[in-house]
């Protein structure tokens, strides 16, 4: 019997027998003591040469394990983690990479003991600070008047919506010569009218159904299903199934965005139907019509849609139950943050301000929110003695300086290609042709200008693909992808 096994066996045996002996086993009083094990870890200490860094910068964090006397323990193995990976990540050997502004808590664990170090990521402040780390890569040209770009779930193809009434496909890096769908005979293109939106439901791969949003030859809004044909690159133009229609009072402020949200429901953006404040006639503040609202409906059963039971005005007498939020002038583009589920609405302004309104998923996603138009534009009252009670004010607004006139996109970047943009809210302006960013949560801060993302043209829309990478569509018929440089 080995000395270790002897000592483990004989001590409880002797205690049980009530005996007081000095030895045990064949060696009598000369029993050998077991080899001492490694000292237990009492504390883990993390250090770094600098705990404040900027996005895209790195810092090496060191970890040291100490025993109960404070002496270092050699050759200890650590498990590294970041409690806030959206702000900064950490490698298996403690190299921290900053992603976006905020505070990151880095931990190193030995056994059951962890050490913590706070790393502050301070983004650059004030435009122009975007630098030349990003740029634009041409994806397609000669598209006519592209207004939107999207993809079916899990599909590498890009689908480009042309105001004139066609949907074009970019496949394997090339623009296909024939349109996926041609609705030109059905579409009015006067002023802000046209083929405005496209959305693919989660089950598109099996159902072949998709949704379009356009203004018909009478200038009225139509949202409808279409079906793909036996050729996956061609839709059946005779397959229309109308979901809803809305008679428009004028050619402006038609909205246009449609998207299937994280909840699987179809979300539809509609403008106030006017061209000027005086033409609104109170529609955006009324719950009795769909104008100036975000609608939310269930189309899983087909064009005969149903109302989600948690829509905010289901039980409000006289209110349209499809309405999710209202008080919007022209919610041209809105999006869901694919990480948090938050809703970001780019609402085109009138006199002085462009707005980004936010519905936080943690706070009900803007359920029942009144965004103020046309009582207010951003924080400005437009009517004498306007009642501001119950108004949801913009998360961010910018003025009409330097030729700015209309916000054309609001997306939180969640792609992998450009870590510096991770978690930033990216938006663009049609007239000014620039792309800016602010922080998507907390204080948005001063906008950062990205001069290398300006296409030298009017920006009709921003968009994103299945990987969360961003695109820029321009009035001159081109579509660009935002890429690292």
């Amino acid at each position: 019997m080995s000395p270790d096994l002897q000592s483990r066996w004989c001590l409880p045996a002797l205690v049980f027998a009530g005996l007081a002996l000095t030895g045990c086993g064949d060696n009598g009083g000369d029993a050998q003591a077991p080899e001492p094990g490694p000292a237990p870890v009492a504390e883990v200490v993390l250090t770094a040469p600098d705990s404040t860094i900027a996005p895209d910068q790195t810092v090496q964090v060191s970890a040291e394990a100490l025993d109960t006397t404070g002496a270092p323990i050699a050759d200890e193995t650590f498990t590294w983690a970041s409690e806030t990976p959206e702000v900064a990540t950490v490698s298996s050997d403690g190299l921290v990479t900053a992603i976006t502004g905020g505070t990151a808590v880095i931990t190193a664990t030995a056994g059951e003991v962890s050490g913590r170090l706070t790393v502050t990521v301070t983004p650059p402040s004030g435009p122009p600070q975007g630098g030349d780390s990003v740029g634009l890569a041409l994806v397609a040209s000669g598209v006519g008047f592209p207004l939107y770009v999207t993809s079916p779930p899990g599909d590498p193809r890009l689908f480009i919506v042309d105001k004139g009434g066609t949907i074009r496909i970019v496949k394997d890096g090339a623009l296909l010569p024939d349109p996926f769908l041609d609705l030109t005979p059905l579409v009015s293109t006067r002023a802000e009218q046209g083929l405005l939106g496209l959305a693919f439901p989660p089950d598109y791969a099996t159902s072949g159904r998709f949704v379009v949003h356009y203004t018909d030859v009478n200038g009225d809004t139509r949202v409808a299903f279409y079906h793909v044909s036996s050729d996956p690159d061609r839709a059946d133009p005779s397959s229309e199934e109308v979901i809803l229609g809305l008679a428009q009072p004028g050619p402006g402020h038609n909205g246009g965005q449609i998207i299937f949200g994280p909840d699987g429901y179809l979300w539809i953006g509609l403008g106030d139907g006017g061209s000027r404040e005086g033409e609104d006639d109170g529609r955006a503040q009324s719950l009795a019509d769909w104008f100036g609202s975000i609608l939310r409906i269930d189309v899983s059963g087909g064009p005969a849609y149903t109302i989600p039971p948690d829509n905010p005005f289901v039980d409000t007498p006289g209110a349209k139950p499809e309405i999710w939020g209202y008080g919007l002038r022209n919610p041209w583009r809105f999006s869901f943050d694919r990480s948090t589920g938050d809703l970001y609405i780019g609402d085109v302004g009138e006199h002085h301000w462009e707005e980004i309104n936010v519905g936080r998923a943690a706070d009900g996603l803007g359920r029942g929110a009144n965004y103020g138009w046309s009582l207010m534009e951003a924080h400005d009252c437009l009517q004498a003695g306007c009642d501001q009670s119950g108004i949801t004010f913009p998360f961010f607004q910018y003025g009409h300086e330097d030729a700015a006139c209309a916000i054309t996109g609001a997306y939180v970047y969640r792609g992998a290609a450009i870590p510096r943009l991770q978690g930033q809210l990216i938006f663009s302006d049609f007239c000014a042709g620039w792309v800016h960013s602010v922080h998507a949560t907390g204080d948005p801060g001063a906008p950062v200008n990205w001069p290398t993302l300006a296409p030298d043209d009017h920006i009709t829309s921003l968009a994103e693909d299945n990987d969360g990478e961003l695109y820029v569509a321009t009035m001159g018929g081109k579509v660009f992808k935002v890429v690292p440089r």
Side-chain angles (χ1 to χ4, degrees):
M1 182 180 295
S2 72
D4 274 354
L5 292 178
Q6 284 181 335
S7 62
R8 293 177 187 175
W9 170 84
C10 72
L11 180 58
L14 294 177
V15 171
F16 179 76
L19 300 177
L21 300 178
T22 59
C24 184
D26 294 338
N27 294 326
D30 296 328
Q32 297 180 1
E35 289 287 334
V41 176
E43 183 181 7
V44 173
V45 177
L46 302 188
T47 57
D50 193 349
S51 60
T52 300
I53 54 178
D56 288 340
Q57 290 185 339
T58 60
V59 63
Q60 181 64 55
V61 179
S62 300
E64 186 175 44
L66 306 178
D67 63 18
T68 55
T69 68
I73 301 174
D75 301 326
E76 191 63 52
T77 300
F78 300 96
T79 300
W80 292 87
S82 171
E83 295 183 2
T84 44
E86 69 274 13
V87 175
T89 60
V90 62
S91 68
S92 59
D93 59 356
L95 182 65
V96 174
T97 301
I99 304 298
T100 189
T103 299
V105 177
I106 306 301
T107 64
T109 302
E112 298 182 355
V113 180
S114 296
R116 296 159 59 91
L117 178 71
T118 298
V119 174
T120 301
V121 181
T122 304
S125 59
Q129 292 292 332
D132 58 358
S133 60
V134 295
L136 295 176
L138 183 64
V139 172
S141 61
V143 182
F145 199 133
L147 294 181
Y148 192 55
V149 181
T150 189
S151 295
D155 194 317
R157 296 174 297 172
L158 291 176
F159 289 70
I160 303 173
V161 175
D162 176 20
K163 173 181 166 71
T166 62
I167 299 173
R168 305 290 300 277
I169 293 178
V170 175
K171 183 177 182 180
D172 298 327
L175 181 69
L176 298 187
D178 296 322
F180 174 67
L181 180 65
D182 188 351
L183 299 181
T184 303
L186 305 181
V187 173
S188 168
T189 60
R190 179 186 173 200
E192 296 176 13
Q193 298 172 345
L195 179 56
L196 307 176
L198 169 66
F200 293 95
D203 67 349
Y204 175 74
T206 55
S207 72
R209 299 186 311 168
F210 60 95
V211 182
V212 296
H213 184 170
Y214 68 93
T215 49
D216 64 19
V217 291
N218 297 315
D220 297 330
T221 289
R222 181 168 291 194
V223 178
F225 273 123
Y226 277 84
H227 292 252
V228 71
S229 70
S230 57
D231 179 351
D233 294 330
R234 300 295 297 270
D236 179 358
S238 66
S239 62
E240 182 179 72
E241 299 175 280
V242 176
I243 299 170
L244 59 82
L246 177 65
Q248 289 285 352
H253 305 182
N254 303 131
Q257 181 72 61
I258 49 175
I259 189 171
F260 284 90
D263 53 11
Y265 295 132
L266 180 63
W267 295 63
I268 304 167
L270 293 171
D272 66 8
S275 296
R276 290 287 173 183
E277 171 196 348
E279 297 178 22
D280 171 68
D281 294 330
R283 289 184 292 267
Q285 283 297 306
S286 171
L287 294 175
D289 60 55
W290 291 332
F291 292 102
S293 300
I294 301 291
L295 310 184
R296 177 178 180 255
I297 60 176
D298 184 352
V299 296
S300 59
Y305 66 85
T306 59
I307 306 298
D310 59 341
N311 271 15
F313 304 111
V314 168
D315 298 321
T316 301
K320 293 290 188 182
E322 296 89 346
I323 295 175
W324 180 261
Y326 65 107
L328 296 162
R329 183 174 179 271
N330 193 26
W332 170 238
R333 291 292 174 238
F334 61 85
S335 66
F336 291 93
D337 181 345
R338 59 181 59 212
S339 176
T340 66
D342 293 344
L343 171 65
Y344 290 85
I345 306 168
D347 191 22
V348 178
E350 171 59 40
H351 296 285
H352 304 293
W353 301 106
E354 302 300 305
E355 301 181 16
I356 300 177
N357 296 286
V358 179
R360 300 292 179 196
D363 298 325
L365 209 60
R367 181 179 183 270
N370 177 3
Y371 296 105
W373 180 261
S374 60
L375 292 174
M376 308 189 69
E377 183 182 36
H379 288 79
D380 293 350
C381 277
L382 298 181
Q383 301 177 16
C386 66
D387 182 4
Q388 301 182 35
S389 59
I391 300 296
T392 298
F393 292 100
F395 169 70
F396 180 79
Q397 64 191 51
Y398 69 88
H400 288 176
E401 299 87 8
D402 301 322
C405 75
I407 187 169
T408 52
Y411 289 86
V412 178
Y413 179 74
R414 295 298 182 187
I418 311 169
R420 185 173 182 180
L421 290 183
Q422 185 65 221
Q424 295 295 295
L425 175 59
I426 315 299
F427 57 100
S428 57
D429 188 89
F430 174 76
C431 294
W434 46 244
V435 175
H436 285 181
S437 68
V438 293
H439 306 314
T441 58
D443 181 357
V448 174
N449 182 38
W450 297 88
T452 55
L453 298 184
D456 195 26
D457 196 353
H458 295 293
I459 298 176
T460 60
S461 183
L462 298 182
E464 65 179 350
D465 63 18
N466 283 321
D467 296 324
E469 302 301 336
L470 295 181
Y471 294 78
V472 177
T474 69
M475 190 172 72
K478 295 181 179 180
V479 173
F480 299 90
K481 184 177 183 179
V482 177
V483 296
R485 288 173 51 166

